[in-house]
Amino acid sequence: PDAKSELHISVSDRVRFPTLFERFSTRFGGAVSNPGLRPERTQNYEIGGAHTFGRVEVEGALFYSHLTDLITSFPMIYNGVAVTQSRNVNSANYMGAEISVALPVIKKLLVGGNYTYIHQYINDTVSAITRPTDVPTHKAFVYAEWKPIRHLRFVPSVDIASNRWTTNTAGTAYFRTGHNVNIAARVDYQITPQLQIGANASNLLDQNYQMVSGFPEPGRNFYLNLRVTY
């Protein structure tokens, strides 16, 4: 609409076919095959925009997805053993909003962040216990980018996520994982136009958390990296 604004709208219809793993794998005795698993179909709608208010850049969007024959992992008892099976659920609706902000505080310091809200609802006509897994309701990311001297960049960040549903390792019940806060930092130095070295530190609070049952995330960790472009 003008030099400082941008608007967009998108509509899509997509099909995701079940993989051989989802249809036939028994997960070393922890699952039951389902050769009749049907494809999952989704209609997606999004409207959003961006605008610059002086020095502040703001972007946002509203989105909605309607899924039919949703493929999900269903906990069950088979021959007296707790297992899971990939099944089709009647339908599901995902809706939410997201916003991001970037502000150059001074010439060498940029502060920004984003927030996403997602509401998920599954309409399962067979079982009322099915829950949408792996996606938090609230998610936020805040960062700063500081360039104290030429060629040097320092980026601290905070990644925050709320509860998400998962199944226990036996596949017999759903439960929430708990929220997590991941504080990280990165420093990069551009030695030449083609050569960059860097160091990263993640989960500085050494928080014990998991996103999927039975698979805890790494504790406090550090690593170095070297990037060469040509």
Side-chain angles (χ1 to χ4, degrees):
D2 57 55
K4 295 184 177 181
S5 304
E6 179 182 320
L7 298 176
H8 71 267
I9 183 170
S10 65
V11 179
S12 65
D13 188 295
R14 303 183 181 188
V15 175
R16 183 178 81 84
F17 292 93
T19 63
L20 290 175
F21 177 82
E22 289 172 322
R23 294 175 65 192
F24 298 109
S25 176
T26 60
R27 280 83 153 173
F28 298 100
V32 177
S33 300
N34 185 3
L37 200 61
R38 299 185 301 276
E40 176 183 290
R41 194 175 195 108
T42 311
Q43 291 81 43
N44 304 293
Y45 310 90
E46 178 177 304
I47 182 170
H51 185 76
T52 302
F53 298 90
R55 300 169 60 195
V56 182
E57 297 180 4
V58 180
E59 297 183 37
L62 299 174
F63 52 87
Y64 171 79
S65 295
H66 177 70
L67 298 85
T68 53
D69 287 330
L70 172 69
I71 299 174
T72 185
S73 181
F74 186 82
M76 60 181 292
I77 303 296
Y78 182 75
N79 289 337
V81 180
V83 295
T84 61
Q85 184 182 51
S86 295
R87 293 185 180 180
N88 292 106
V89 175
N90 185 42
S91 64
N93 296 306
Y94 298 169
M95 62 195 76
E98 57 187 5
I99 185 172
S100 66
V101 179
L103 169 64
V105 180
I106 56 177
K107 183 178 180 180
K108 297 182 179 181
L109 177 62
L110 174 70
V111 176
N114 57 68
Y115 167 77
T116 303
Y117 169 78
I118 300 179
H119 174 74
Q120 302 175 95
Y121 171 73
I122 291 182
N123 179 25
D124 187 354
T125 58
V126 178
S127 172
I129 68 170
T130 306
R131 297 288 184 268
T133 59
D134 306 325
V135 178
T137 303
H138 305 277
K139 194 175 189 307
F141 180 75
V142 181
Y143 70 93
E145 182 177 317
W146 180 41
K147 298 179 180 178
I149 61 175
R150 188 180 180 185
H151 304 314
L152 180 66
R153 184 182 68 159
F154 177 60
V155 184
S157 63
V158 181
D159 196 348
I160 306 169
S162 66
N163 282 310
R164 68 190 76 196
W165 285 103
T166 188
T167 57
N168 59 9
T169 52
T172 57
Y174 291 94
F175 71 96
R176 290 188 178 273
T177 60
H179 70 278
N180 64 275
V181 178
N182 187 348
I183 298 179
R186 176 187 180 98
V187 59
D188 295 310
Y189 186 76
Q190 195 74 39
I191 300 176
T192 69
Q194 293 78 33
L195 182 63
Q196 182 189 79
I197 60 173
N200 291 58
S202 183
N203 195 7
L204 292 176
L205 296 180
D206 201 25
Q207 186 178 17
N208 181 16
Y209 69 99
Q210 59 183 351
M211 298 181 183
V212 178
S213 177
F215 295 90
E217 293 296 306
R220 189 180 295 116
N221 60 92
F222 308 87
Y223 61 94
L224 302 174
N225 59 74
L226 174 68
R227 181 178 183 183
V228 180
T229 58
Y230 57 90

